[in-house]
Amino acid sequence: MEMNDIIDINREDLKINRFKLEEECVKNVSFHDYVAEIYAQTKAERDKKENELKKLMAEKDLFFRKFPPKDLKVTESVISSLVETDSVVVKKKKELLDIRERYYMLEAFMSVLESRKYEVQNLVKLWIGGYYNENGINNMSVSEKIRKNLNNKE
């Protein structure tokens, strides 16, 4: 499963244009809102599937205890094995694994968006500090500017 199968954002969309930071701030909020909604829905779906699986396994456990196979000696491990290998249980576990994979990918993407947010914040701070000008990066380094400003204050 690829991230593009889950959300409609590609790597190019995540690149930050340091000369249009106001747009990047708005874009970051939109990305986060979009992904957070899908993340919340997937988390709810995962929780629902986990509960369904627990219920199904409990029902199967009771069924095999009530109607044990005649050719097997009934022990805890046999009952457990019968429940684990039941075709319906195996199918539900596969569904749960697919949802968990989607959930973990969205969780990772939420982390990427959080990192992007901090990167935009840092770029804004650099811009406010005068690190960028109309022509790109200033010729004078930040430390040289600080020294110059300190020398002018004395």
Side-chain angles (χ1 to χ4, degrees), residues 140 143-153:
M140 196 181 308
S143 60
E144 288 173 345
K145 279 187 168 184
I146 292 170
R147 278 192 214 108
K148 182 180 177 187
N149 287 339
L150 287 173
N151 289 335
N152 288 338
K153 288 182 181 178

Side-chain angles (χ1 to χ4, degrees), residues 41-102:
Q41 290 169 348
T42 303
K43 187 174 183 178
E45 188 179 352
R46 180 204 64 179
D47 293 346
K48 180 180 169 190
K49 291 290 183 185
E50 284 176 349
N51 288 337
E52 287 175 3
L53 179 62
K54 284 179 188 175
K55 180 181 179 236
L56 176 66
M57 289 179 75
E59 289 171 352
K60 291 292 180 176
D61 187 87
L62 289 173
F63 174 82
F64 288 124
R65 287 177 191 281
K66 205 175 214 181
F67 305 105
K70 296 185 186 342
D71 58 335
L72 295 173
K73 181 179 177 190
V74 179
T75 63
E76 285 299 317
S77 62
V78 168
I79 298 290
S80 179
S81 295
L82 287 169
V83 169
E84 291 290 329
T85 58
D86 184 79
S87 62
V88 179
V89 170
V90 169
K91 182 181 173 200
K92 287 285 185 187
K93 280 187 172 189
K94 169 80 171 92
E95 289 173 9
L96 180 58
L97 286 175
D98 291 343
I99 291 170
R100 280 184 179 160
E101 179 184 12
R102 204 167 121 204

